[in-house]
């Protein structure tokens, strides 16, 4: 097993070499980026990090893990050890004997799967079995995504993650995301709404919030520091009151040029942590799905659309929102087909918005169903949202959800059905129940 050593590692290089075991030191690195280059080139199986670790950041660790290598750190400080474990690093005491360190390196290398596909998004969290002898290491798998987002046996899976996506053309996905979150919060659930649209963040506008702080960027930075859920919610999420109910919101990027601030690994790490404190997380993502093929080989350059792909794969539920008109239906057909190609396991629900006879003819729902049956992918339409411009405009103008600005509108009632919240009438009283 080929090992690279970085840090104050001269002594450890000699100690491991003197064992004459299966672990062989092939390079004493000047810095961690050198180790990343070796890992991406396939020249090493593991990296041993020693010495001062305060400057070791999540991006470098993610790059090493994404290359399919194991990462082991010798750490004496419990706070730094906890941070590195949260990033997927195996931690050992620097006072341990060389054989114990070599054994851990060997175990972690065996536990690491074959080289991760550089262009692949994160898998949905699944329960895995910890490798014996892992010494409390949190997670080890094929990639940085898998490292950070497998559910360990000691913790419950936590809340659901609903991703709201739609093809280009303003299908109304943010309106749907805001109102799904608001309706869930209205029945007493602890809900967070995350604006992860890297092209045109709009949650702040829908809720009348000041968005210069870019809560989603703060969320990612804190997650890379292994901040606990309580700190993430305190520092990155804004508490919004809608009809007397609290909704936690991470505002989006005020300028789309800041998209590199939202790394998929960082956001997924944050969601995994928040799931243990929340009942539901609703994520509004951008439309484009394509990856830059020039950046998928021999480089770790960020991919703008990787956020959308990773969110769709991580979600427990994905809602695809499209426009029901002569332009929107064909776009939805092609876009959903692309989602299912890129993310075959996506739990996708197809919703058509702005349904109206003037756009598709008499019996608009039947017309959309017929078009979808003829040209659409092999997935059924899950629901329709009526064209109710007055209600949507009123909500946007007042900076709130439909339940507050237009509670009796047909659009609000349709989104209620979509959100899984039932409305029962008891005399003149409306009672909500969560399904």
């Amino acid at each position: 097993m080929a090992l690279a050593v970085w840090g104050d590692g001269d002594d450890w290089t000699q100690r491991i070499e003197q064992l004459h075991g299966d672990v062989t030191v092939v390079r004493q690195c000047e810095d961690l980026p050198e180790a990343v280059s070796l890992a991406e080139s396939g020249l090493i199986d593991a990296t041993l990090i020693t010495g001062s670790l305060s400057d070791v950041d999540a991006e470098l660790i993610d790059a090493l893990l994404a290359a399919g290598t194991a990462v082991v750190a010798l750490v004496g400080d419990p706070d730094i050890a906890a941070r590195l474990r949260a990033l997927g690093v195996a931690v050992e005491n620097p006072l341990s004997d060389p054989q114990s360190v070599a054994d851990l390196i060997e175990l972690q290398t065996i536990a690491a799967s074959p080289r991760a596909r550089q262009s692949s998004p994160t898998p949905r969290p699944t329960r895995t079995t910890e490798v014996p002898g892992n010494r409390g290491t949190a997670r080890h798998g094929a990639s940085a995504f898998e490292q950070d987002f497998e559910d360990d046996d000691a913790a419950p899976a936590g809340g659901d993650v609903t991703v709201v996506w739609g093809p280009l053309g303003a299908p109304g996905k943010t309106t749907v995301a805001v109102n799904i979150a608001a309706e869930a919060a209205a029945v007493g659930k602890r809900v967070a709404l995350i604006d992860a649209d890297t092209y045109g963040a709009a949650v702040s506008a829908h809720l009348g919030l000041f968005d210069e702080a870019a809560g989603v960027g703060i969320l990612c930075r804190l997650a890379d520091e292994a901040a606990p859920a309580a700190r993430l919610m305190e520092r990155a999420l804004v508490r919004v009151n809608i009809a007397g109910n609290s909704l936690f919101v991470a505002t989006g990027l005020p300028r789309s040029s800041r998209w590199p601030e939202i790394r998929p690994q960082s956001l997924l790490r944050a969601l995994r942590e928040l799931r243990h404190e929340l009942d539901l997380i609703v994520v509004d993502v951008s439309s484009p799905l394509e990856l830059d093929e020039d950046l998928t080989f021999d480089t770790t350059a960020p991919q703008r659309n990787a956020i959308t792909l990773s969110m769709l794969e991580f979600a427990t539920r994905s809602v695809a929102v499209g426009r029901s008109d002569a332009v929107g239906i064909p776009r939805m057909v092609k876009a959903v087909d692309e989602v299912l190609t890129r993310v075959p396991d996506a739990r996708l629900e197809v919703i058509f918005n702005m349904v109206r006879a003037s756009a598709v003819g008499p019996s608009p729902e039947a017309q959309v169903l017929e078009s979808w049956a003829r040209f659409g992918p092999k997935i059924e339409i899950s629901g329709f949202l009526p064209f109710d411009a007055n209600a949507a405009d009123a909500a946007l103008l007042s900076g709130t959800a439909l339940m507050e600005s237009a509670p009796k509108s047909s659009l609000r009632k349709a989104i209620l059905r979509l959100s899984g919240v039932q409305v029962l009438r008891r005399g003149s009283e409306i009672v909500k129940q969560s399904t």
Side-chain angles (χ1 to χ4, degrees), residues 6 32 52-58 60 80 83:
W6 173 79
L32 266 186
S52 177
L53 302 173
S54 57
D55 295 331
V56 176
D57 62 23
L60 288 171
I80 295 177
R83 178 174 69 87

Side-chain angles (χ1 to χ4, degrees), residues 44-385:
I44 60 173
D45 301 304
T47 301
L48 177 64
I49 302 175
T50 67
S52 177
L53 302 173
S54 57
D55 295 331
V56 176
D57 62 23
E59 188 169 0
L60 288 171
I61 296 300
D62 287 338
L64 287 169
L65 295 173
T69 62
V71 184
V72 176
L74 303 181
V75 186
D77 188 310
D79 293 332
I80 295 177
R83 178 174 69 87
L84 291 177
R85 284 195 182 98
L87 298 177
V89 176
V91 175
E92 182 61 279
N93 192 303
L95 300 180
S96 297
D97 62 273
Q99 187 61 60
S100 296
V101 174
D103 289 345
L104 179 58
I105 292 170
E106 187 172 351
L107 282 169
Q108 297 304 315
T109 303
I110 293 172
S113 62
R115 183 168 301 277
R117 297 187 303 271
Q118 293 187 21
S119 62
S120 66
T122 178
R124 190 177 292 109
T126 55
R127 192 171 298 279
T128 59
T129 302
E130 184 174 302
V131 177
N134 206 343
R135 292 173 170 81
T137 303
R139 296 159 299 279
H140 256 278
S143 68
F145 294 129
E146 290 174 344
Q147 293 292 335
D148 291 323
F149 309 110
E150 291 172 349
D151 286 343
D152 55 66
D153 293 330
D160 293 326
V161 178
T162 295
V163 170
V164 182
W165 167 87
L168 292 170
K173 61 182 180 62
T174 301
T175 296
V176 172
V178 167
N179 285 281
I180 286 178
E183 297 294 349
V187 296
K189 292 184 178 181
R190 285 171 60 82
V191 183
L193 174 61
I194 312 295
D195 193 339
D197 191 327
T198 56
Y199 288 84
V203 168
S204 294
H206 278 255
L207 293 177
L209 300 174
F210 179 74
D211 64 354
E212 286 298 321
V216 67
I218 298 173
L219 191 67
C220 289
R221 289 195 294 274
L222 290 174
D224 285 345
E225 297 172 5
R231 188 170 178 227
L232 294 178
M233 296 180 66
E234 177 185 357
R235 297 285 303 278
L237 305 186
V238 178
R239 187 190 294 264
V240 178
N241 186 289
I242 299 178
N245 308 298
S246 292
L247 173 65
F248 299 96
V249 179
T251 55
L253 299 174
R255 291 179 296 280
S256 61
S257 60
R258 293 174 57 181
W259 67 265
E261 296 180 22
I262 312 178
R263 296 192 310 120
Q265 299 96 325
S266 305
L267 184 55
L268 288 163
R269 188 176 290 121
L271 295 188
R272 182 182 183 277
E273 183 65 27
L274 289 172
R275 290 174 75 226
H276 299 300
E277 293 292 330
L278 298 167
D279 300 309
L280 174 65
I281 302 172
V282 180
V283 187
D284 183 17
V285 297
S286 53
S287 298
L289 300 170
E290 300 80 5
L291 294 177
D292 190 333
E293 297 298 333
D294 291 338
L295 298 179
T296 58
F297 300 100
D298 301 324
T299 179
T300 57
Q303 292 271 346
R304 187 172 191 170
N305 301 336
I307 283 289
T308 297
L309 290 170
S310 61
M311 291 293 104
L312 287 170
E313 184 117 355
F314 185 75
T316 55
R317 179 193 187 197
S318 299
V319 179
V321 183
R323 295 174 64 101
S324 56
D325 54 38
V327 174
I329 295 173
R331 281 183 175 174
M332 188 70 156
V333 168
K334 296 175 183 177
V336 168
D337 186 64
E338 185 174 2
V339 169
L340 297 177
T341 299
R342 292 183 176 273
V343 191
D345 294 331
R347 301 174 182 178
L348 204 61
E349 298 177 21
V350 174
I351 305 295
F352 275 97
N353 192 16
M354 308 178 197
V355 178
R356 59 202 186 279
S358 60
V360 292
S363 302
E365 293 187 7
Q367 297 281 3
V368 175
L369 284 169
E370 181 181 352
S371 297
W372 189 260
R374 290 181 61 189
F375 305 108
K378 300 298 182 182
I379 178 173
E380 294 183 357
I381 295 175
S382 299
F384 298 92
L385 302 179

